[in-house]
């Protein structure tokens, strides 16, 4: 590692709130990409750490990863120009893209990736994790939901250094993403408490689309696509996309977004899907719940939810019209 790296990290440090050196090759500060927590001024989840001979940035909150160069460029482009020049003078090859460093070797593909974890159904009925699953009416699926006592530590056993620091590690509910053969290629950890983000998705195969339910879906039939893996469990032939992109996933798809007209990100996704000609569901104004799990908790039956979905599926021009109306009424 070059002293130029540490020199420039220190140069930009005044622009990184709560900047602290935590160890030999570990620094911590508030993430400049997501701003870290808006609520808590003391949260700092951005880390710079050493991997082989270079320094990298990773945020535990928004999961952004970058080479040190790209972090400097993002924070202060003028300092970045100096940094590039100085590295060049020192004869160090500069890297323009942060991508290659974050490709993690070969995909981890194992049936028993979760073998060290306890399934929720195996826990005592008084266990808080099992109680939470019961309260969300998910008991039926608890044999394939797991308890992970230390999410960061567990993840690091599969992807070395995914979380460079174990500070703030905590338990999470583990939701395995299985492929057609039942093998786990990704997983989502849901916080039990107020830890943020509420869901963290980890891909063991970098190239796979983050689609939950591939082991259960019948592609020859119409398929519902929802946002949350847990929501998808309540509906027939339903998958969840834990990320906006599912371009390699084909079939007779109906996209069911959460009922959140004030969520800009969701509105953007709806617009994009309408323009792509996809069938989408826009919830009627009588539905107040924000997602399918909440509807179940509010007393809707699976059958009634599926009927509402059928009755409120739109495409092309009618979708655009209904979307505009839905946004306006709820604005
Ligand atoms: Zn961040």
């Amino acid at each position: 590692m070059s002293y130029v790296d540490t020199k420039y990290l220190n140069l930009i440090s005044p622009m990184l709130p709560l900047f602290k050196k935590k160890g030999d090759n570990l620094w911590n500060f508030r993430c400049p990409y997501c701003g870290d927590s808006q609520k808590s001024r003391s949260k700092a989840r951005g880390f710079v750490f050493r991997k082989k001979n270079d320094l990298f940035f990773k945020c535990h909150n928004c999961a952004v990863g970058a080479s040190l160069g790209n972090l400097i460029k993002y924070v202060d482009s003028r300092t970045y120009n100096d940094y590039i020049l100085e590295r060049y003078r020192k004869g160090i090859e500069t890297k323009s893209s942060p991508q290659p460093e974050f490709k993690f070797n070969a995909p981890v593909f194992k049936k028993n990736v979760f073998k060290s974890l306890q399934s929720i159904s195996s826990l005592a009925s008084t266990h808080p994790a099992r109680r939470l699953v019961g309260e969300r009416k998910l008991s039926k699926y608890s044999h394939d939901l797991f308890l992970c006592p230390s999410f960061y530590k567990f993840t690091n056993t599969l992807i070395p250094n995914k979380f460079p620091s174990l500070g703030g590690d905590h338990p999470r509910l583990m939701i395995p993403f299985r492929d057609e053969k039942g093998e786990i290629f990704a997983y989502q950890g849901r916080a039990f408490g107020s830890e943020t983000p509420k869901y963290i998705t980890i891909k063991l195969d970098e190239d796979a689309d983050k689609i939950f339910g591939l082991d259960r879906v019948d592609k020859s039939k119409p398929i519902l696509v929802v946002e949350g893996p847990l929501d998808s469990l309540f509906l027939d032939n339903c998958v969840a996309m834990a990320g906006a992109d599912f371009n390699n996933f084909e079939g007779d798809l109906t996209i069911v977004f959460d009922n959140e007209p004030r969520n800009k990100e969701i509105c953007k996704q709806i617009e994009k899907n309408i323009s792509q000609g996809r069938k989408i569901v826009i919830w009627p104004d009588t539905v107040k719940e924000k997602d399918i799990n909440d509807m179940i908790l509010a007393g809707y039956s699976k059958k009634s939810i599926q009927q509402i979905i059928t009755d409120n599926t739109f495409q092309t021009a009618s979708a655009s019209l209904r979307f505009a109306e839905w946004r306006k009424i709820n604005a």
Side-chain angles (χ1 to χ4, degrees), residues 30-36 45-46 57-64:
R30 278 168 79 80
C31 170
Y33 293 91
C34 65
D36 232 297
R45 288 166 290 192
F57 169 79
K58 183 90 192 171
C59 172
H60 282 192
N61 187 43
C62 64
V64 160

Side-chain angles (χ1 to χ4, degrees), residues 73-298:
K73 191 168 160 187
Y74 185 78
V75 172
D76 182 10
S77 59
R78 246 186 284 171
T79 303
Y80 176 70
N81 293 337
D82 297 344
Y83 170 73
I84 293 299
L85 222 95
E86 194 161 341
R87 274 184 70 117
Y88 178 74
R89 274 201 228 108
K90 294 272 175 278
I92 299 161
E93 188 198 323
T94 53
K95 295 172 186 139
S96 56
S97 157
Q99 291 311 319
E101 298 88 351
F102 279 89
K103 284 276 176 205
F104 294 103
N105 309 332
V108 188
F109 247 132
K110 289 176 203 150
K111 261 207 178 75
N112 50 1
V113 157
F114 281 8
K115 69 170 185 291
S116 64
L117 305 180
Q118 277 188 284
S119 74
I120 299 298
S121 59
S122 72
L123 302 172
S125 56
T126 50
H127 193 287
R130 187 159 170 186
R131 281 220 306 268
L132 177 117
V133 165
E135 280 160 16
R136 303 302 301 180
K137 301 230 182 280
L138 289 159
S139 297
K140 213 171 121 187
Y141 314 99
S142 58
H143 60 281
D144 204 30
L145 298 172
F146 299 81
L147 171 66
C148 181
S150 309
F151 186 77
Y152 298 164
K153 196 173 152 203
F154 174 80
T155 298
N156 282 357
T157 65
L158 299 171
I159 305 169
N161 231 355
K162 180 77 179 176
F163 295 99
S165 156
L166 297 181
D169 204 356
H170 55 272
R172 282 184 176 250
L173 175 69
M174 300 288 267
I175 308 163
F177 286 44
R178 297 183 184 277
D179 65 12
E180 290 82 353
K181 285 178 256 154
E183 299 199 35
I184 298 172
F185 65 91
Y187 56 87
Q188 201 171 63
R190 180 197 190 272
F192 287 109
S194 55
E195 300 90 355
T196 54
K198 191 169 181 185
Y199 293 94
I200 300 178
T201 309
I202 303 288
K203 271 201 213 185
L204 301 174
D205 176 4
E206 276 298 316
D207 301 324
D209 277 345
K210 288 186 280 187
I211 294 170
F212 174 83
L214 294 175
D215 50 331
R216 288 175 292 107
V217 73
D218 179 351
K219 285 192 168 184
S220 68
K221 292 184 178 151
I223 301 166
L224 296 176
V225 184
V226 299
E227 291 188 63
L230 298 177
D231 289 328
S232 75
L233 295 170
F234 294 107
L235 302 174
D236 289 335
N237 218 36
C238 185
V239 298
M241 42 165 185
D245 293 313
F246 49 105
N247 296 320
N248 301 323
F249 186 70
E250 284 173 4
D252 179 4
L253 309 181
T254 298
I255 320 296
V256 187
F257 284 101
D258 286 351
N259 189 23
E260 292 190 69
R262 286 190 205 91
N263 183 323
K264 280 199 189 112
E265 189 49 40
I266 289 183
C267 288
K268 227 164 73 188
Q269 288 303 328
I270 293 179
E271 270 176 323
K272 191 175 141 200
N273 278 278
I274 293 174
S275 70
Q276 287 169 336
R278 287 202 165 109
K279 286 192 275 186
I280 68 154
V281 170
I282 297 177
W283 296 99
D285 306 320
T286 48
V287 172
K288 300 296 173 209
E289 290 72 24
K290 69 170 178 15
D291 59 37
I292 288 160
N293 200 170
D294 283 354
M295 289 176 78
I296 295 279
L297 296 182

